[in-house]
């Protein structure tokens, strides 16, 4: 009788623990991004970040990931966080030209040498301005890709070669650069780029190296300018309503996962993966990489110079001190050892 009683008690306790373990998390968040689930930013950036939050919160916060524009189009992801369509969104600010002029400074060529310490520097710098420029959301992380290059159907060696070309630019700043060079911009998101190129709507694009393979663009573009000259910024944003609804201890968990150190960690896997694509092309007989001479690099730098003047004009028009913001960015890049 005692044994039966003990057995019933043990069984009841086991069932109770099982039920507790099966309970839903206290907070269920949805994270939306527009890249395919196979893109390295998901397994090497987003998933480890979400898992770390789950662990740090003792399982109280669970984040479900929705890739490939399942919840909305790529250019809409800022507004999706603002409006609570998703709790966390992955945003390319450059997809909406002119909306975030301070952040667009990051997109100007010849400023940052890598995407890892560069991400930490960008995070520290932009934290001064995030509440002013993106007041509707909580800016959590900065995520530049490994510096990208020109990829084209016909060779591009000097700025004059872009004249007359239709180019899919990485962001609004590069679109402006293409226009300065006499080319025309084909404004499509990364997932739509292959179709534009295959249909002849675009002749070239700016892109990081291994993503050329990921999106199947290596089958269309075989000429590559071997010069890492620009970075495209992505940000991880959190709905303010979702964040404010958290108890204080869980807000602390989120705050601890929205730091310059996390921006670097979040960016490292993708940066390493992209860099490997360049060597893959070097080893391939199907691709030609052209390394510009010092004189040709000087031509590219000269051609890009008006972008900074234009950026200062745009930022000043919004009521900001453009010179002070620019100097702050340069100082922060230098502090992290990533100034071009």
């Amino acid at each position: 009788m005692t044994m039966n009683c003990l057995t019933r008690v043990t069984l009841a306790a086991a069932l109770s623990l099982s039920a507790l373990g099966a309970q839903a998390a206290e907070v269920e968040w949805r994270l939306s991004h527009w890249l395919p689930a196979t893109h390295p930013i998901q397994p090497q950036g987003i998933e480890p970040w979400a898992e770390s939050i789950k662990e740090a919160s003792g399982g109280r916060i669970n984040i479900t990931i929705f890739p490939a524009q399942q919840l909305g189009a790529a250019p809409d992801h800022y507004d999706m966080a603002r409006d609570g369509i998703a709790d966390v969104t992955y945003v390319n600010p450059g997809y909406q030209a002119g909306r975030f002029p301070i952040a667009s400074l990051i997109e100007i060529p010849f400023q940052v040498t890598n995407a890892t310490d560069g991400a930490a520097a960008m995070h520290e710098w932009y934290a001064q301005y995030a509440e002013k420029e993106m007041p509707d959301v909580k800016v959590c992380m900065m995520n530049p890709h490994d510096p990208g290059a020109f990829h084209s159907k016909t060779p591009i060696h000097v700025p004059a070669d872009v004249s007359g070309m239709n180019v899919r630019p990485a962001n609004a700043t590069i679109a402006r650069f293409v226009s300065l060079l006499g080319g025309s911009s084909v404004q499509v998101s990364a997932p739509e780029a292959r179709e534009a190129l295959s249909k002849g709507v675009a002749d070239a694009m700016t892109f990081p190296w291994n993503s050329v393979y990921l999106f199947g663009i290596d089958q269309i573009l075989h000429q590559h300018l071997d010069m890492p000259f620009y970075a495209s910024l992505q940000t991880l944003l959190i709905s303010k309503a979702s964040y404010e609804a958290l108890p204080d201890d869980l807000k602390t968990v989120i705050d601890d996962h929205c730091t310059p150190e996390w921006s670097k960690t979040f960016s490292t896997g993708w940066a390493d993966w992209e860099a490997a694509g360049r060597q893959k092309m070097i080893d391939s007989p199907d691709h030609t990489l052209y390394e510009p001479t010092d004189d040709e690099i000087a031509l590219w730098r000269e051609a890009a110079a008006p972008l900074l003047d234009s950026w200062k004009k745009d930022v000043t028009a919004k009521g900001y001190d453009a010179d002070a913001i620019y100097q702050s960015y340069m100082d922060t890049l230098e502090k992290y050892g990533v100034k071009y």
Side-chain angles (χ1 to χ4, degrees):
M1 186 70 176
T2 303
M3 181 60 71
N4 287 340
C5 181
L6 180 60
T7 299
R8 286 196 297 272
V9 171
T10 302
L11 179 59
L15 289 172
S16 177
L17 287 171
S18 177
L20 181 63
Q23 287 178 354
E26 180 181 326
V27 176
E28 290 283 353
W29 274 5
R30 303 198 304 172
L31 186 155
S32 177
H33 71 88
W34 34 270
L35 292 162
T38 52
H39 190 284
I41 200 58
Q42 178 161 325
Q44 299 187 45
I46 293 172
E47 289 176 3
W49 179 79
E51 187 59 35
S52 180
I53 287 175
K54 186 173 185 177
E55 181 179 344
S57 68
R60 294 165 64 197
I61 300 176
N62 184 64
I63 299 175
T64 302
I65 301 165
F66 293 86
Q69 306 185 99
Q70 291 179 39
L71 300 185
D76 296 336
H77 272 59
Y78 179 90
D79 293 330
M80 288 165 59
R82 180 196 65 190
D83 299 338
I85 294 171
D87 305 284
V88 186
T89 62
Y90 186 70
V91 175
N92 183 327
Y95 282 176
Q96 296 191 347
R99 188 172 183 182
F100 309 107
I102 295 177
S104 69
L105 175 58
I106 291 169
E107 301 166 354
I108 294 176
F110 304 113
Q111 295 191 119
V112 63
T113 57
N114 71 60
T116 52
D117 288 318
M122 291 169 190
H123 186 125
E124 181 176 316
W125 166 74
Y126 194 65
Q128 305 171 81
Y129 312 107
E131 280 287 339
K132 299 175 184 177
E133 185 160 78
M134 299 185 181
D136 315 299
V137 297
K138 176 180 174 63
V139 177
C140 180
M141 279 191 289
M142 308 292 270
N143 175 226
H145 64 49
D146 189 58
F150 264 110
H151 312 278
S152 54
K153 295 176 182 178
T154 57
I156 295 175
H157 294 172
V158 294
D161 293 333
V162 179
S163 181
M165 277 192 175
N166 295 320
V167 181
R168 182 269 171 187
N171 48 54
T173 300
I174 300 301
R176 188 175 292 178
F177 189 36
V178 168
S179 296
L180 285 173
L181 300 179
S184 298
S185 293
V186 179
Q187 299 279 12
V188 295
S189 66
E192 300 165 324
R194 189 185 192 284
E195 183 177 5
L197 290 159
S198 65
K199 289 183 175 180
V201 176
D203 311 304
M205 73 184 302
T206 57
F207 225 37
W209 292 93
N210 223 358
S211 285
V212 172
Y213 286 99
L214 178 67
F215 289 92
I217 294 164
D218 62 297
Q219 301 165 27
I220 304 171
L221 303 182
H222 302 277
Q223 301 291 329
H224 313 277
L225 181 62
D226 192 8
M227 178 180 66
F229 71 101
Y230 82 96
S232 180
L233 172 67
Q234 287 66 230
T235 59
L236 199 71
L237 307 181
I238 296 174
S239 162
K240 275 200 168 178
S242 300
Y243 175 77
E244 293 298 337
L246 297 174
D248 289 345
D249 60 333
L250 293 186
K251 284 181 182 176
T252 298
V253 171
I254 297 300
D255 291 344
D256 289 345
H257 286 78
C258 296
T259 63
E261 293 76 20
W262 259 108
S263 282
K264 177 177 179 177
T265 299
F266 189 89
S267 300
T268 297
W270 182 19
D272 292 345
W273 180 86
E274 291 288 8
R278 176 177 171 273
Q279 187 60 48
K280 188 175 179 180
M281 287 187 186
I282 290 172
D283 296 337
S284 170
D286 299 325
H287 294 273
T288 300
L289 280 71
Y290 179 78
E291 183 177 354
T293 66
D294 289 344
D295 288 343
E296 288 168 339
I297 291 173
L299 290 175
W300 283 104
R301 283 183 172 274
E302 182 180 352
L307 293 174
L308 182 59
D309 295 333
S310 181
W311 174 85
K312 288 184 176 182
K313 185 181 298 183
D314 291 343
V315 170
T316 300
K318 292 285 187 177
Y320 298 109
D321 185 339
D323 288 330
I325 292 171
Y326 174 72
Q327 190 58 52
S328 175
Y329 185 47
M330 292 299 103
D331 291 345
T332 309
L333 291 179
E334 192 163 3
K335 172 183 172 181
Y336 281 83
V338 291
K339 186 176 177 183
Y340 205 108

